[in-house]
Amino acid sequence: EGMQIRVLHAKEIVVVLNGRSRTVWVTGTTVDDVLEHVNVRLRQGDRVEPSRSAPIEEGDVIVFREAVQIRLFIDGQDRRVITNAPSAAYLLDSMGVVLHKRDRVVPGPDAELDSGMRIRVIRVEVRRIAEQAEIPYATEVVYSDQLLQGQRRVDRAGIPGLQALTYKVRLEDGLEVSRDLLDRKPLRDPVNQVLVIGTRPPNEQWG
C-alpha cells in the first residue's frame, strides 16, 4: 500500500556513429542517456547532434562523429588538424579555405576523413605566356672547283630568324606542369648560311 510504480517506455532511436547507422531502444530522456546506452564517451573535438542535454523523442536521429587527426597540405604549409568534419570539403569550408574554380583537392572533396589521412589542396592556374624564340637557319652547300678537295669556306654567315610564341601554361602550386602552343608568328626570317666545298683535286708532281 502506498507503493508507486513508474513505467518507463522505451523509445526507438537511430544512432549514426561515424557514418554507420544502428537502431537502439532506450528508456532515457536525453541524448547523453542514449550515448551512455551505446557506450560512447565524448572526447575533445567529438561532435554530437543534437546537443548532449537535448531531450529525445520516438524516432529521433542522433549523429555522433569522433574527432580524427589529419594532415593538410595547402599553400606551402603542412598542418596537423584535429577535426570531426565528415568530409574534406566540409573541413575546408569550416576552416575558411577558399577553393577557386580550377583548384583540386586530393583525394577528393567528398572523401570521408579517417585518422592519419593526408589532404592536399592543389592551387591550379592557367596563364597565357608570350615568348620569343630563334628560328634556326639552314645551310646551303655550293660545290666549287676553285677550292681543293677537303677545303671549305663560308661565303655567307647564317643569321637566325625570330618568332613570337604564345602558350597556354598550366601551373600547379606555382610549378609548370604543362604547356600548349596557341600561336606562332614570325618576326624575322632566317638568313641561310652558304658553305662552299672544294672539288678540285690537288696537282700531281712528277719527279
Side-chain angles (χ1 to χ4, degrees):
E1 194 172 311
M3 179 182 296
Q4 293 183 349
I5 299 176
R6 186 182 177 193
V7 178
L8 299 176
H9 296 284
K11 305 177 185 70
E12 183 181 6
I13 304 294
V14 176
V15 182
V16 182
L17 300 175
N18 296 320
R20 297 181 178 179
S21 298
R22 59 182 288 196
T23 300
V24 297
W25 292 85
V26 296
T27 57
T29 58
T30 66
V31 170
D32 214 16
D33 293 334
V34 177
L35 295 178
E36 185 175 353
H37 179 81
V38 295
N39 295 318
V40 169
R41 299 288 181 268
L42 288 178
R43 298 176 301 174
Q44 183 177 4
D46 292 345
R47 179 170 66 92
V48 62
E49 294 179 0
S51 65
R52 295 173 58 181
S53 60
I56 58 172
E57 299 291 343
E58 176 81 15
D60 279 353
V61 177
I62 297 173
V63 178
F64 168 81
R65 178 162 291 278
E66 185 179 21
V68 296
Q69 179 173 281
I70 61 99
R71 291 180 68 180
L72 176 63
F73 300 87
I74 181 172
D75 298 331
Q77 297 181 334
D78 178 0
R79 302 169 62 178
R80 296 181 184 272
V81 181
I82 296 177
T83 179
N84 51 38
S87 67
Y90 194 104
L91 168 66
L92 296 174
D93 183 65
S94 67
M95 296 177 64
V97 174
V98 178
L99 293 177
H100 303 290
K101 180 180 178 181
R102 295 188 176 92
D103 291 345
R104 295 194 296 119
V105 179
V106 178
D110 297 325
E112 186 174 329
L113 300 186
D114 291 319
S115 186
M117 181 180 257
R118 297 181 175 212
I119 304 294
R120 183 183 176 196
V121 175
I122 302 173
R123 301 296 193 185
V124 179
E125 296 179 76
V126 176
R127 300 178 182 173
R128 290 172 66 97
I129 294 180
E131 296 179 352
Q132 291 187 351
E134 288 188 347
I135 303 175
Y137 58 80
T139 297
E140 298 176 8
V141 177
V142 177
Y143 294 95
S144 172
D145 59 4
Q146 295 182 5
L147 296 179
L148 293 174
Q149 291 178 354
Q151 289 185 329
R152 297 184 171 205
R153 183 181 70 225
V154 175
D155 267 10
R156 184 178 68 197
I159 302 175
L162 191 65
Q163 59 186 340
L165 304 174
T166 303
Y167 293 96
K168 181 175 74 172
V169 177
R170 181 183 177 92
L171 305 173
E172 293 187 357
D173 287 337
L175 300 177
E176 181 179 326
V177 295
S178 67
R179 63 168 52 199
D180 297 314
L181 182 62
L182 299 178
D183 185 55
R184 184 197 307 267
K185 184 179 297 183
L187 302 176
R188 184 183 68 229
D189 292 333
V191 176
N192 290 345
Q193 174 180 265
V194 176
L195 178 65
V196 180
I197 298 179
T199 60
R200 176 165 54 87
N203 293 331
E204 296 183 1
Q205 298 197 8
W206 302 88

